[in-house]
Amino acid sequence: MITAVLYIFSSCQEDYGYRVEVPVSDITLASPEKNAEIDLNEMSIDEYTFSWNETIEGGTTLVLSGSDVLLDPVYFKAGEAKSYSIKAELLDQITSGFGIENGKTGTIYWAVKPTDHIGIAALEIRPLNVKRLISRLLLPENQKPVALDGDRPALPVSFAWDTEGEDPATAYSIVFSNNNEMTGEVVTYNVGAVNSAGITNSQLQDVFIKYSSHPFKSMRLYWNIKKTEENEYLSRSSSSIEVNPMMIYKDVRGDEEITYKVAKISYRDGRVQYWLAENLRTRKYPDGSDIEEANYMFAPSNRYTEEQVKAFGGYYRPNPSMFQKLPAAGWRVPTITECRELYEEALAQEGTYNVLRDPVFYNYEPT
C-alpha cells in the first residue's frame, strides 16, 4: 500500500497549509487493457478474465462499477489469485444493473483492491466498453406474467424467436429450466423448423409442477431455444416468464385419478389457506387401496347425473382413524373451527354464503 500526499493552501489574512495523506492500493492492472471492447454476443467466448500483477497477504478483490470513481460497486473476492473470470451471462446482468440497456454498448470501470482494505483508493481504474447481450427470444416478453387456465388446458401460449441468418431447415426445441443458466435437468419440447410455436397451458403446468416447491404459488421459469441437431442454444441469454399455476389438484390414488379445483382463501387477518373447491369423491386411500364400503357412500346413480355426483361428492362416515388416512400428502381434513372461520369469511363477502355454494345443484331436489 502506498500513500498519496495532498497539500492544500488557503489564504485570508494568514496562509495555512494542510497535509492530507490518502492511502492508495499498490496493485497494478494487467488485462483487459484501457478502453478494451467486449461484445457479450460473441458466442465463442463463455467468460471474461480480469488480471493484475500483484497478490498480497489477505487476498485481493475485483471491483466493478458504472462510475469512474467506483460508486455502487460490485465485488468479487479473488483470494490469493491474480485473476478472476466472470461468465458472459453474469457480466451482462452486472452491466444491466449499471444502467446499460439490452443490446447497447456502455462503459463500466474496474479496479483491484486489497480485500482487507477495500475502502482505500485504487492505484488504477480502467474503463471497459461492454456491449450487452441481444436476445433472440421475442415472445413472450422477458418476465411476462402467464396465468394458466385450468378450464382451458389446451389453450396455447405463443413463443417466438429470431432465426435470421440461420439455415431455414434448422429444427428447434423450446427448453425450460428453473435457472437462468439452463443447467441441471431441463424440459424440452421439439417444435421443428419454425420460428414460433405454441406450448399449451397443460404443458406449462407440467413444467411448473416439476420445478415448483409449492403447487399454488407463482414462480419464475426460464426458457431458451435450442438448435436440435447442433445441441446449442440460439440465444446466449435465456428469457423468463412468471407463471401463475392452474388452481387444480390432481389426486392420483392407484389407478384412480381425479382432478379437483382449488381455491385460495385470503382471510381478512392476513392468513392464506388453500381449500379444495370441490367435494372429495375418492373411493381410495392415498396408497391406492380401497376405502371400506362401510365408510363411504355415493348418491345413487339412477337418481343423479354424473355432474350431480361430482358436485355432491362422497359421503364419508365420521370415523377418526379413516379421516387420518383419507387426505393425500400435504392435505388434511379441516377442523370445525376452520370451517366456521371459512363461513364467517364468506359472510363478509359480497354474495355471502353463496360464494361457497354450488351454483347449480345447491338447492337441487331429485324427482
Side-chain angles (χ1 to χ4, degrees):
M1 183 172 64
I2 61 178
T3 301
V5 179
L6 301 178
Y7 287 96
I8 303 174
F9 295 94
S10 63
S11 176
C12 184
Q13 294 180 341
E14 300 182 12
D15 291 335
Y16 297 94
Y18 300 91
R19 185 176 185 273
V20 180
E21 296 185 355
V22 179
V24 180
S25 164
D26 55 0
I27 301 171
T28 58
L29 306 182
S31 177
E33 296 290 342
K34 182 179 180 180
N35 290 317
E37 303 281 342
I38 289 181
D39 186 349
L40 297 178
N41 297 283
E42 178 54 62
M43 297 294 287
S44 62
I45 303 176
D46 292 327
E47 59 184 22
Y48 294 86
T49 300
F50 296 79
S51 62
W52 46 96
N53 297 316
E54 294 82 22
T55 186
I56 60 176
E57 183 178 352
T60 52
T61 295
L62 171 65
V63 184
L64 300 181
S65 174
S67 160
D68 59 0
V69 291
L70 304 182
L71 298 177
D72 299 319
V74 176
Y75 296 117
F76 296 94
K77 292 182 178 180
E80 301 298 326
K82 292 193 289 185
S83 66
Y84 192 91
S85 296
I86 303 177
K87 288 187 175 296
E89 293 83 356
L90 178 56
L91 189 55
D92 185 68
Q93 294 176 26
I94 293 170
T95 53
S96 172
F98 294 154
I100 303 175
E101 298 180 1
N102 289 338
K104 302 295 185 180
T105 299
T107 302
I108 68 171
Y109 299 85
W110 72 283
V112 177
K113 296 184 180 183
T115 300
D116 293 342
H117 301 281
I118 200 68
I120 69 173
L123 179 63
E124 183 180 6
I125 300 174
R126 286 188 182 177
L128 184 63
N129 299 313
V130 180
K131 183 175 182 179
R132 284 199 57 206
L133 291 173
I134 301 172
S135 178
R136 302 183 70 180
L137 309 178
L138 306 179
L139 292 175
E141 296 177 358
N142 192 36
Q143 300 183 19
K144 180 179 177 62
V146 176
L148 304 182
D149 190 343
D151 292 326
R152 297 188 293 173
L155 182 69
V157 175
S158 296
F159 289 78
W161 51 97
D162 175 19
T163 58
E164 183 178 354
E166 303 293 337
D167 185 340
T170 299
Y172 299 98
S173 303
I174 303 178
V175 183
F176 294 94
S177 175
N178 63 347
N179 65 84
N180 182 57
E181 296 183 353
M182 309 296 289
T183 56
E185 192 172 354
V186 299
V187 178
T188 302
Y189 294 103
N190 297 323
V191 295
V194 295
N195 61 5
S196 65
I199 301 297
T200 68
N201 277 226
S202 179
Q203 289 172 316
L204 285 176
Q205 177 74 8
D206 291 339
V207 177
F208 172 88
I209 290 173
K210 177 178 179 62
Y211 294 121
S212 177
S213 60
H214 192 287
F216 309 118
K217 291 183 179 179
S218 64
M219 75 168 295
R220 179 172 296 183
L221 290 177
Y222 297 88
W223 68 279
N224 206 333
I225 300 298
K226 180 172 282 188
K227 301 177 187 179
T228 305
E229 294 184 4
E230 292 87 343
N231 196 35
E232 64 181 35
Y233 286 112
L234 181 68
S235 178
R236 160 154 275 171
S237 61
S238 60
S239 189
S240 67
I241 51 177
E242 295 290 335
V243 177
N244 291 297
M246 297 180 185
M247 296 300 287
I248 60 172
Y249 172 65
K250 289 185 178 181
D251 190 11
V252 180
R253 303 176 181 229
D255 58 0
E256 177 192 81
E257 179 178 318
I258 301 175
T259 299
Y260 299 96
K261 291 183 179 180
V262 174
K264 177 182 177 181
I265 308 298
S266 298
Y267 292 88
R268 288 166 292 172
D269 61 7
R271 288 178 300 133
V272 173
Q273 286 184 331
Y274 296 89
W275 290 64
L276 289 186
E278 300 178 36
N279 288 319
L280 193 71
R281 53 185 183 275
T282 181
R283 299 172 185 265
K284 295 180 178 292
Y285 290 114
D287 63 4
S289 61
D290 293 333
I291 298 174
E292 301 81 5
E293 290 188 8
N295 283 326
Y296 80 94
M297 64 173 289
F298 280 82
S301 58
N302 63 336
R303 300 179 65 199
Y304 293 87
T305 66
E306 182 178 344
E307 289 77 13
Q308 291 160 351
V309 172
K310 177 181 177 180
F312 299 145
Y315 295 85
Y316 301 92
R317 294 188 182 279
N319 183 326
S321 62
M322 184 200 68
F323 275 10
Q324 290 180 357
K325 296 167 55 180
L326 188 60
W331 295 89
R332 59 182 173 82
V333 175
T335 64
I336 293 176
T337 298
E338 287 173 325
C339 289
R340 287 173 177 166
E341 290 174 343
L342 180 66
Y343 299 150
E344 290 172 2
E345 194 68 33
L347 185 61
Q349 307 303 312
E350 183 179 355
T352 65
Y353 294 131
N354 288 317
V355 300
L356 300 177
R357 296 170 175 169
D358 187 284
V360 177
F361 299 116
Y362 178 73
N363 290 315
Y364 177 77
E365 292 290 342
T367 57

